Amino acid sequence: MPALAVDAATPVAHAFASCDAAARFPAPPVVGPAAATAADTAPWSADLSAALYNVDGWGAPYFFVNDDGDVAVRPHGAATLPGQEIDLAKVVAKAAGPRAGGGLGLPLPLLVRFPDVLRHRVETLNAAFGYAVRSTGYGSRYQGVYPVKCNQDRYVVEDIVEFGAPFGFGLEAGSKPELLLAMSCLAARGNPDALLICNGYKDDGYVSLALMARSMGLNTVIVLEQEEELDIVVDASRRLGLRPVVGMRAKLRTKHAGHFGSTSGEKGKFGLNATQILSVLTKLKAIAMLDCLQLLHFHIGSQIPTTDLLSDGVGEAAQIYCELARLGADMRVIDVGGGLGIDYDGTHSAQTDMSVAYSLEEYAAAVVGAVGRVCDRKGVQHPIICSESGRALVSHHSVLVFEAFSATAPGRLDAATAYLLDELTDDCRADYRNVMAAAVRGDYDTCALYADQLKRRSAEQFKEGVLGLEHLAAVDAFCELVARGMGAPEPPRTYHINLSVFTSLPDMWAIGQQFPIIPIQRLQERPAVDGVLSDLTCDSDGKVSEFIGGRHSLPLHELPTHATRGYYLGMFLGGAYQEALGGLHNLFGGPSVVRVSQCDGPHCFAVTRAAAGPSCADVLRAMQHEPEVMYEVLKQRTDGATAAALARAFGAMPYLVFDPEAAVLSSGESSGMSSDSEGSAAGAAEDEDDEEWEFMRGLTV
């Protein structure tokens, strides 16, 4: 305990009658985070915001901050011409704006897809491998596949097949439904030479389906994940009279550290070890099917951090490939799997799972070089190189936009509240006066000790019923004011967001994945508030408090007044895995979705498809409830106007709605929206039958 003590009975002039901390505390030395306040009056610009959020680091070549302070999109990457950039804030205004003003009236959160970005990713990946093949004199070609598990959305898969057709780009499936969608998509619009890679654990149904795909003329390869699967493949092929093309997944010794490397190495979940590979070869040779073995697959792990590790793993796999060829297999393709990483934090480093220390071109050169060197050394013909680079293809193509609708306010000690401090018990008042005496002397260590003691003592006396709630609040505000007066940074404020982390950002809470999150507008203004994000769910894990760059808070702006549109944030680079992994915690479903393409119109974009997110009825049905029956039960206890309101509630999205026009969903329009009734309760009762019909029609479409 500090030696200084002041008699509680000694009259002391009230320290905070004016609530001006600067007037009461001598200026302490300004260091650390508080030092930034010294420049708060300096001019701010969109360029400074871009640097603050490192947009050029993680966003290039697609995302940047324009002169209006909005995040904008270059849909064709570095080849985007002036006048082709798409302002993301204008897209949101179009999608979420009222229909009366020309908007689509879609409720937030909103997922914005950019198929032009997807096309550019497909073309860039193939161009990188094409250049590596030509520049090294490689004796074969690159022919990749997209693993549909990364994002199974119909339009994403169809776009990739269409954009990849000139390159013979195919698909990879890991389950029966994924195989069905891959078969359908490739049959309808794929290149006849495109590969259909069948990974994952298999039973007779899966294998039979893959063989049917081959009978339809699709270039299907059944990859053995376990030695036992060979018997299933042989039995099914004999029963159907179809000769299969088989691959096998090798379990390499090479692995990398970190979360994404946990599925690689000798203890990895998938693949055959050396003994099992030789056993499969022996069995195939015994039944005269060794020529069916044509592909070797392996996977080092997602987010491979360096090309050194990549070259090591690819070199090991290429050695296995050459051995298979030496032992009589009709080898043609080496599938290097996934692993092409994304620079989520923009640091271009290999220190964390959030970044990689290479470019796309360097990745392709490392793969082609490693395969070529081993095959040349062993005198084996260069194979077709396949990769399953799903994360790298789809991560950039979508942006999740959500609204911050409220924020906690900093503690304030007004004159009326401050005088409650004089009503504290004698020992608390002694602590209070000791805080003030130490502050006047500039003894900040002693000041902090007494402030902490005052806060703890007040809490104990509140629990005992000695102090009231207003006294506890006054002490908290006083201690916060003391901390600020001593130069301590203000703690982060909590911004409440209209989103479910569990539904839309599942990797954030499940594995600690970090995605770039920044405001999508007002970036010409200084973001003067440090904030953390709290979602709508009733779960303490429903928050975002870790951000790229090692930040424990995010620079944000003060929220606008209620008379203006909301404060919009964007989550970037989340186009892979998040949609499929998201759950229905608290029955919050997915976001509304729009597809936006670059065009020559006044805003440089056109919304080519729009759909509202799942309604309350949709998510209830997903959990085996029957919304139609629920509605009928509830309607028996209501009058006509209430029944109409119930119908609207079942048809609305689960998220908060701050625009009444966006509160009702219907399947009757291409946008997935219908106009809400703005009539009186009497009018709603008169239209009860129409409301019920619209609701029931929406449930069954």
Side-chain angles (χ1 to χ4, degrees), residues 299-322:
H299 180 64
I300 301 173
S302 295
Q303 287 288 106
I304 296 173
T306 66
T307 54
D308 288 341
L309 177 63
L310 174 66
S311 297
D312 188 32
V314 173
E316 179 187 352
Q319 185 70 29
I320 297 174
Y321 178 93
C322 292

Side-chain angles (χ1 to χ4, degrees), residues 39 41-56 65-66 69 522-527 551 555 557:
T41 58
W44 195 258
S45 68
D47 288 341
L48 290 175
S49 286
L52 175 66
Y53 297 110
N54 195 22
V55 177
D56 292 340
V65 180
N66 65 20
R522 294 177 59 186
L523 295 175
Q524 79 281 15
E525 305 174 25
R526 179 190 301 277
R551 289 180 176 270
H557 305 86

Side-chain angles (χ1 to χ4, degrees), residues 235-254:
D235 291 344
S237 64
R238 287 172 175 170
R239 186 181 69 252
L240 297 174
L242 296 169
R243 197 164 181 83
V245 173
V246 177
M248 67 169 67
R249 178 167 177 160
K251 187 176 293 186
L252 302 185
R253 312 298 174 94
T254 305

Side-chain angles (χ1 to χ4, degrees), residues 22 83 112 148 171 187 267 389 395 457 559 578 617:
V112 185
V148 297
L171 297 174
K267 296 183 179 180
S389 305
S395 290
R457 196 194 303 270
L559 292 182
Q578 303 315 295

Side-chain angles (χ1 to χ4, degrees), residues 137 154 194 200 279 290 305 316 351 456 494 502 567 577 587 647:
R154 169 189 172 184
S279 177
L290 192 54
E316 179 187 352
Q351 303 306 311
R456 286 188 287 104
T494 298
F502 303 92
Y567 185 61
Y577 296 108
L587 295 186

